[in-house]
Amino acid sequence: MPRKLFAAISQIVLGALIAIAPQTFAHVCAVKDMPMACRYTARVALGLGVVIALLAIIGFFAPSRVRAGLDIANAVLGVLVVLVPTMLVGVCRGSMMHCHMVTRPTLIVIGILALLFAVVAIYLDSKPVKR
């Protein structure tokens, strides 16, 4: 039970942070006439965060082997969260822009944490349970 709680709660919290951060405290640029790359980064992060949280909720009710597979998927999604603001979509080019100074590092740190917690959850879920 503690293994299941560790994997589910940590990934739900991190998924929610990934989804909420670019919309609230690590917001992106508010340009309405010409959307910039940071706006699309926020949308992709919202989708990735929701998927991470949903997989964690599903994993809460799944058996151990299925949970390990869901944790692998969450680890891959954690890597994608890091890649979106850095290589795949990016943020604004201006180094003094809020999305460059706050959103990008926030998503990188939360993505690395999601990856690390998913790897620990994979390890815990793949070990046989001692009875």
Side-chain angles (χ1 to χ4, degrees):
M1 187 67 168
R3 293 179 185 183
K4 187 186 295 190
L5 285 176
F6 170 78
I9 292 175
S10 64
Q11 291 176 8
I12 289 170
V13 168
L14 289 172
L17 274 174
I18 291 168
I20 293 171
Q23 314 300 327
T24 57
F25 64 90
H27 60 85
V28 294
C29 303
V31 177
K32 297 192 190 276
D33 47 330
M34 187 179 81
M36 295 191 269
C38 61
R39 179 175 178 210
Y40 299 114
T41 296
R43 287 185 175 188
V44 172
L46 175 67
L48 289 173
V50 167
V51 170
I52 289 172
L54 285 176
L55 288 178
I57 291 170
I58 292 169
F60 189 70
F61 301 107
S64 179
R65 293 290 179 199
V66 174
R67 225 175 23 248
L70 294 173
D71 293 335
I72 292 171
N74 275 343
V76 172
L77 290 172
V79 171
L80 281 175
V81 169
V82 173
L83 290 178
V84 164
T86 56
M87 298 176 75
L88 295 178
V89 179
V91 292
C92 296
R93 294 181 190 255
S95 61
M96 296 305 291
M97 301 293 283
H98 190 268
C99 60
H100 195 81
M101 293 188 318
V102 179
T103 308
R104 183 175 182 228
T106 301
L107 287 177
I108 290 171
V109 168
I110 297 173
I112 290 172
L113 286 174
L115 172 65
L116 292 176
F117 277 105
V119 167
V120 170
I122 292 167
Y123 174 73
L124 292 176
D125 287 335
S126 63
K127 280 180 30 177
V129 178
K130 295 180 183 176
R131 293 184 180 187

